Amino acid sequence: MAQRSTSCAAQPRPRHHVAFIRHAYRRCSYRPVRGLVRCLVSSPRYTLVLPTSAKKSSVKEARASLLKAITDVKGRGKSGMNSEQTQDLEAAVACLEADRGVKDPTDSPLLEGRWRLLFTTRPGSASPIQKTFVGVESFTVYQEVLLTASEGARVNNIVDFGAKIGTLKVEAEASTNSNARPGFVPRQKPGLAIFGKSSNTPPAHPNMRVDFQFDKAAFAFNALPFKIPYPVPFKLLGDETKGWIDVTYLSQDGKLRLTRGNKGTLFVLMKDPSPKQQLLEALASQGNSNEEVQQLVLQLERQSPERSPAKSVKSQGKWRLLWSMQASEANYLQKALSNRASNFQIIEEEDGEARVENVVQLGPLLAIKAGGSCAAEGPTRTVVSLNDIRAEIGPLRIPLPRGNRSTDQKPAYVDWLYLDDDLRITRGSKGSLFIHTKD
C-alpha cells in the first residue's frame, strides 16, 4: 500500500538518486515469474511500507537478485547489459539502497578493509583511470578503506595486473563526519570535463559520505625492487584530485557494499579477505596444509609493502614464530623444535651494528639461544653469523658446539619475502620457510 511520506522532507536525496528511485519505484513489486521480490522504496512523494519480516526477506532476495544480474556481465559493466539485466539490477539496487543496511556506515568497523570491485556503471563523467583499467577482466580492482589508520583516514584504489606483473596503487587522504581530517576542505566545484564532471550534491544521510583527496600513486612491478611513480602531478591539480563516495548500502554482515561516487558512478563491491587475513586464518586452523600456506605466501610476497625489507627499521624487534616448513638440509634440532616450542627471533641495533638472537623456550627455566651479527646484503637479503650458541638453565649458561663448518661454506642468510608492521615471511639459505608475527 502506498501512502504519503512524512519523513523524506527532512532527509533530501541527491537529485540523481531521486530520479533513480522514482524510476525503480514503478517496478518495486517484483514479478514472481521473474523471481523478483517486493521491497521498501521511498521517494519524495511516496513510501511503500512492508512488515519487518517481509522487509528482511526482500533485502535478502534483492541481494541475491543483484549478484545474479551482474554475474554474466563482462568487464565489470564495460560491455553493457541487456534490458532484462538492467531492470533486475536497478530494482535490486533500489531495494537495497532504500533499506541502507548499516545505518551509519562510515562509523562502522564493517566498512574497514579491502573490497573487490564486482561491477560499476560507466557514465561519461567517469575518470580516466576508471575508463582505462576497470573494464579489463584480467585485472583485479580493489578499494582499501582505512578510516581508523594511525596516520589518518585513507582510501586507496588498487589495480592488480596479475602475479607476473604487479600493481598500481592510487592513495588518498580521507575525511568523514565523525573522523574529520584537520584542515581538509571537501570538493566544491564540478571541475574540468577531461577529468570527469563532479557533483556537489550533499549526502542523503549523515555518516555515509567519505570525502577524499588523492595525494600519491605508484606502480609496483614484481621484477623491480623499487616503485615507479604514477605520472600525475597531484599537488598541481588542486580540486581535481578531490572527490567523494557515498556508501548507500552496507550489508549487516559487512560483505556487500553499494557506493555512489561524485562523478555519478555506481560501484558494487564485495569484501575481499586479504591474503594476509586468509594466511592468519589458515595458520590458526588445525587442518591447514603446507600447500595452502605456500599459495597464500606467494600472493603476499608480491604485495609486500616494503620494497627493501632487509634495510627497513620494521625488521627490528621481537618476532614470534607462527609456522615453518623445514628444508631437508635444515639441522635436526631446528626440525624438531621449530613448530613444537615457543620460538622467537630478536633483531636490534647495538652501537650501530645489527644483532640477532634466536630463542627456543623449552620451559620456564630452560632455553636454547643462538646470538650473533646480521647485516643487509641488498634490499631483500640479510646475512647472518651466529657465534654465541648456548643452553640456559635458570641462571646457568652452557656453551654449545657450533657443529662442523667447512672453510669454504657460504655464510648463512635469510631472504625477506614479505614485511609489514606485524608480519614477516622469510626463507633461509637452506630453503626453510618461516612466518613470524611481531610479539
Side-chain angles (χ1 to χ4, degrees):
M1 180 180 70
Q3 64 182 30
R4 295 272 180 186
S5 172
T6 60
S7 61
C8 293
Q11 298 176 337
R13 296 180 183 273
R15 191 172 303 170
H16 67 273
H17 188 77
V18 170
F20 182 87
I21 293 294
R22 283 175 174 164
H23 179 62
Y25 172 78
R26 289 194 296 270
R27 51 177 169 274
C28 189
S29 288
Y30 282 32
R31 292 162 290 174
V33 67
R34 298 272 299 116
L36 303 180
V37 298
R38 289 192 301 274
C39 61
L40 182 149
V41 173
S42 59
S43 76
R45 294 182 60 195
Y46 298 102
T47 298
L48 182 67
V49 180
L50 289 177
T52 301
S53 59
K55 178 182 174 183
K56 289 181 179 179
S57 175
S58 297
V59 169
K60 181 178 179 180
E61 294 179 29
R63 176 172 168 171
S65 180
L66 167 69
L67 296 176
K68 181 179 178 181
I70 64 177
T71 296
D72 297 325
V73 179
K74 302 299 181 182
R76 286 177 283 268
K78 181 178 181 180
S79 62
M81 308 175 74
N82 59 40
S83 59
E84 187 175 292
Q85 289 173 317
T86 300
Q87 289 182 12
D88 289 354
L89 173 71
E90 290 182 350
V93 167
C95 186
L96 295 175
E97 289 189 328
D99 176 77
R100 295 175 57 204
V102 176
K103 296 301 184 261
D104 295 293
T106 60
D107 280 351
S108 172
L110 295 175
L111 186 60
E112 292 279 319
R114 189 174 75 160
W115 295 82
R116 178 167 50 90
L117 181 66
L118 301 180
F119 174 87
T120 177
T121 56
R122 299 177 60 82
S125 59
S127 68
I129 291 180
Q130 182 184 338
K131 292 177 180 177
T132 303
F133 296 118
V134 168
V136 182
E137 285 199 328
S138 59
F139 301 162
T140 307
V141 181
Y142 299 101
Q143 184 175 78
E144 287 181 334
V145 181
L146 309 171
L147 299 183
T148 59
S150 57
E151 67 273 19
R154 299 193 70 83
V155 174
N156 305 321
N157 296 330
I158 301 169
V159 181
D160 190 333
F161 302 117
K164 295 183 179 180
I165 303 175
T167 61
L168 167 63
K169 187 174 184 178
V170 185
E171 303 182 48
E173 297 179 332
S175 183
T176 66
N177 286 32
S178 58
N179 190 12
R181 182 178 285 270
F184 186 91
V185 179
R187 180 163 184 161
Q188 303 294 331
K189 300 178 181 179
L192 302 174
I194 189 174
F195 296 111
K197 289 288 187 178
S198 175
S199 169
N200 58 2
T201 305
H205 305 279
N207 301 317
M208 70 178 295
R209 175 163 293 183
V210 180
D211 290 292
F212 61 83
Q213 181 172 17
F214 292 117
D215 59 354
K216 56 184 175 180
F219 291 95
F221 294 113
N222 296 335
L224 299 176
F226 53 85
K227 296 181 181 180
I228 298 177
Y230 188 71
V232 174
F234 292 110
K235 292 183 179 180
L236 300 179
L237 291 175
D239 220 37
E240 294 297 341
T241 63
K242 296 181 180 181
W244 51 259
I245 52 174
D246 282 346
V247 181
T248 55
Y249 176 78
L250 176 62
S251 64
Q252 296 290 347
D253 61 5
K255 294 182 179 179
L256 181 67
R257 170 163 66 101
L258 302 182
T259 295
R260 293 185 179 273
N262 59 296
K263 295 179 180 178
T265 309
L266 169 68
F267 302 94
V268 180
L269 305 103
M270 185 75 72
K271 177 68 72 67
D272 191 68
S274 67
K276 177 180 176 179
Q277 181 181 343
Q278 293 179 59
L279 176 63
L280 293 175
E281 290 176 355
L283 296 179
S285 170
Q286 298 296 322
N288 72 75
S289 65
N290 286 346
E291 291 76 15
E292 178 186 7
V293 173
Q294 288 182 86
Q295 286 297 319
L296 292 168
V297 165
L298 285 175
Q299 293 183 47
L300 269 179
E301 184 178 351
R302 60 190 181 89
Q303 295 179 10
S304 177
E306 291 291 329
R307 308 304 288 181
S308 299
K311 299 179 180 180
S312 172
V313 295
K314 291 182 180 180
S315 66
Q316 299 180 24
K318 184 178 181 181
W319 295 90
R320 178 168 55 88
L321 183 67
L322 289 180
W323 176 92
S324 71
M325 186 176 69
Q326 299 297 324
S328 58
E329 296 183 9
N331 70 63
Y332 76 94
L333 193 59
Q334 182 175 308
K335 290 180 180 179
L337 299 177
S338 61
N339 291 326
R340 293 181 175 85
S342 296
N343 198 316
F344 300 90
Q345 185 175 81
I346 303 168
I347 301 175
E348 55 190 6
E349 192 171 302
E350 296 180 0
D351 301 324
E353 181 182 10
R355 303 286 300 174
V356 61
E357 184 172 62
N358 297 328
V359 180
V360 180
Q361 196 72 44
L362 299 174
L365 299 176
L366 177 60
I368 305 295
K369 297 185 178 181
S373 61
C374 61
E377 186 181 77
T380 61
R381 176 167 291 183
T382 297
V383 176
V384 179
S385 177
L386 300 177
N387 51 30
D388 180 16
I389 304 174
R390 63 195 185 275
E392 293 187 359
I393 305 174
L396 186 64
R397 296 162 62 97
I398 304 173
L400 297 176
R402 297 178 59 191
N404 296 326
R405 188 178 180 87
S406 61
T407 56
D408 61 345
Q409 187 173 349
K410 294 181 180 180
Y413 63 83
V414 292
D415 285 333
W416 297 78
L417 308 182
Y418 179 88
L419 175 66
D420 65 17
D421 291 330
D422 55 17
L423 185 73
R424 61 174 251 202
I425 303 173
T426 55
R427 191 183 301 278
S429 50
K430 295 182 179 179
S432 299
L433 186 63
F434 305 91
I435 300 176
H436 289 79
T437 185
K438 186 156 284 187
D439 196 54

